[in-house]
Amino acid sequence: VLAAGRAAGKSARMQKGIRVTLRTALDHGGHWVRLTSGISRKALQVESTATKVSFWDEPQALRFLAAVDGHELEALWLLAIATGMRQGELLGLQWSSISWATNTISVRHSLVETKGVVRRLKEPKTRAGVRLVAVPLLALKALAALHELNGSRGLLAPAVFCAPSPNVGFAVTYQ
C-alpha cells in the first residue's frame, strides 16, 4: 500500500495518512486489515515533515516596517505582522469584510491556487477558520489610505489586495 501510494505520486500528506492508518491497524492487532509478513511498526513510523518556524522579534519587525514605509504593499505587510493572518486570508480579503467601526476583520474566505495557476476564493475548511480578527489602529489607517489611493486610481475592486482576472481567477493587484 505504501509503495503503491508513492508510485501513484500521492502527496506527502496522503502518504502520512496511509502510514498512520496502517500503524493504527497494526497497534490493534491487525483486526482492521490483514497485514502481509514483513511489515513492522518501525516501517510505519510517521516522519515529521514540519519545518522549524522562526518569528521576527519586535526590533526586526519595526526595521522591516520602516523599510517598506510608503510602499504600495505597506498595508499588506503591516496587516500580516499586526494580525498574524495567513497569506491566503490576506490576499482574499474583501473590503466588505473590514469593520471600520469596530476595528475588526471578518475572515470568511481565503485565496487559494488550484492546478498551478487558477486562483479562487474558498471558505475555510472548519468553522474555527471563520473568525473575527482585531486590527490595530495603525493597520486600519494603512488600509484606509490604500482604499483612498485605489479609489483615486479607479482600482476599487471588491478585494483589497487582488482583483478578478479572466485568465487566472484572481491576480495580485500589485507587482
Side-chain angles (χ1 to χ4, degrees):
V1 174
L2 292 170
R6 279 191 290 276
K10 297 294 183 189
S11 69
R13 184 175 181 174
M14 178 64 80
Q15 290 179 41
K16 179 181 177 183
I18 292 168
R19 284 193 306 272
V20 168
T21 302
L22 288 174
R23 190 180 67 228
T24 302
L26 187 61
D27 286 347
H28 286 82
H31 294 296
W32 292 352
V33 294
R34 290 192 177 258
L35 299 173
T36 61
S37 61
I39 294 182
S40 68
R41 183 161 179 27
K42 184 170 177 97
L44 299 175
Q45 287 290 320
V46 176
E47 299 170 15
S48 174
T49 58
T51 57
K52 187 175 192 286
V53 178
S54 60
F55 299 94
W56 286 342
D57 58 22
E58 187 177 349
Q60 290 171 317
L62 291 173
R63 275 197 308 275
F64 176 78
L65 291 174
V68 299
D69 185 34
H71 190 278
E72 60 187 344
L73 288 177
E74 177 185 8
L76 174 69
W77 292 319
L78 183 58
L79 198 58
I81 290 172
T83 65
M85 289 172 64
R86 297 174 183 97
Q87 178 181 338
E89 294 169 344
L90 290 162
L91 295 177
L93 181 62
Q94 306 286 298
W95 289 112
S96 61
S97 298
I98 301 171
S99 173
W100 304 100
T102 60
N103 297 355
T104 58
I105 290 176
S106 176
V107 177
R108 295 184 294 236
H109 46 257
S110 65
L111 188 68
V112 295
E113 191 170 290
T114 56
K115 300 209 186 334
V117 178
V118 178
R119 296 177 187 103
R120 63 183 176 86
L121 291 178
K122 182 179 176 189
E123 292 182 4
K125 294 178 186 176
T126 65
R127 281 192 284 173
V130 177
R131 64 193 188 284
L132 207 56
V133 177
V135 182
L137 193 55
L138 182 63
L140 211 58
K141 286 181 180 179
L143 285 170
L146 178 63
H147 191 269
E148 185 176 320
L149 177 65
N150 284 352
S152 69
R153 292 177 174 173
L155 295 174
L156 273 184
V160 176
F161 301 110
C162 294
S165 169
N167 298 330
V168 294
F170 279 82
V172 177
T173 307
Y174 306 98
Q175 299 299 327

